[in-house]
Amino acid sequence: QVQLVESGGGSVQAGGTLRLSCAGSGYASMTAAINAMAWYRQAPGKQRELVASITRAQTTKIADSVKGRLTISGDYAKIAVDLQMNSLKPEDTAVYYCAMGVSIGHMEYWGQGTQVTVSS
């Protein structure tokens, strides 16, 4: 029932910047409490990986591969999460998905994904 929609993806040159946004139904429309929001990515032929997460308490975790370049921010009142992507590298090319749920290990809601392509 609840659908999250990502936006902001696209194609950029290496070193470029993108900002991904994710928004969906309000908290009242969700059957489970939202205590965690996150961004995942999946490259062709690869497993999905967790890129960044943020808890309701605003505690963030960033994957080592993107640390210092990508920053996550979340607004739990609006049920929205953003991913600021700076100094992008070709290896960042992937489909990026936002997710929300009661915990990082139990994400009930997922977006359809947005393509990010970084060219050298």
Side-chain angles (χ1 to χ4, degrees):
Q1 181 183 7
V2 176
Q3 182 176 359
L4 307 181
V5 179
E6 301 97 340
S7 63
S11 298
V12 298
Q13 297 292 315
T17 297
L18 288 173
R19 186 177 181 88
L20 306 184
S21 298
C22 174
S25 301
Y27 180 83
S29 298
M30 297 182 173
T31 59
I34 303 300
N35 297 314
M37 301 182 181
W39 285 94
Y40 294 78
R41 69 184 181 186
Q42 187 168 20
K46 303 295 183 180
Q47 292 293 310
R48 182 189 65 197
E49 66 172 331
L50 178 63
V51 176
S53 64
I54 182 168
T55 69
R56 183 177 289 273
Q58 299 295 302
T59 299
T60 61
K61 291 186 177 181
I62 309 294
D64 289 341
S65 60
V66 301
K67 190 170 297 182
R69 301 185 298 111
L70 275 60
T71 303
I72 190 171
S73 60
D75 187 334
Y76 279 82
K78 297 180 179 179
I79 313 298
V81 60
D82 289 357
L83 186 68
Q84 179 67 43
M85 309 170 73
N86 301 326
S87 302
L88 285 165
K89 303 177 179 180
E91 50 263 45
D92 294 319
T93 296
V95 177
Y96 285 72
Y97 301 88
C98 68
M100 305 178 183
V102 66
S103 68
I104 295 174
H106 191 194
M107 294 296 198
E108 287 87 358
Y109 308 107
W110 291 81
Q112 66 176 359
T114 185
Q115 177 70 46
V116 170
T117 302
V118 184
S119 302
S120 61

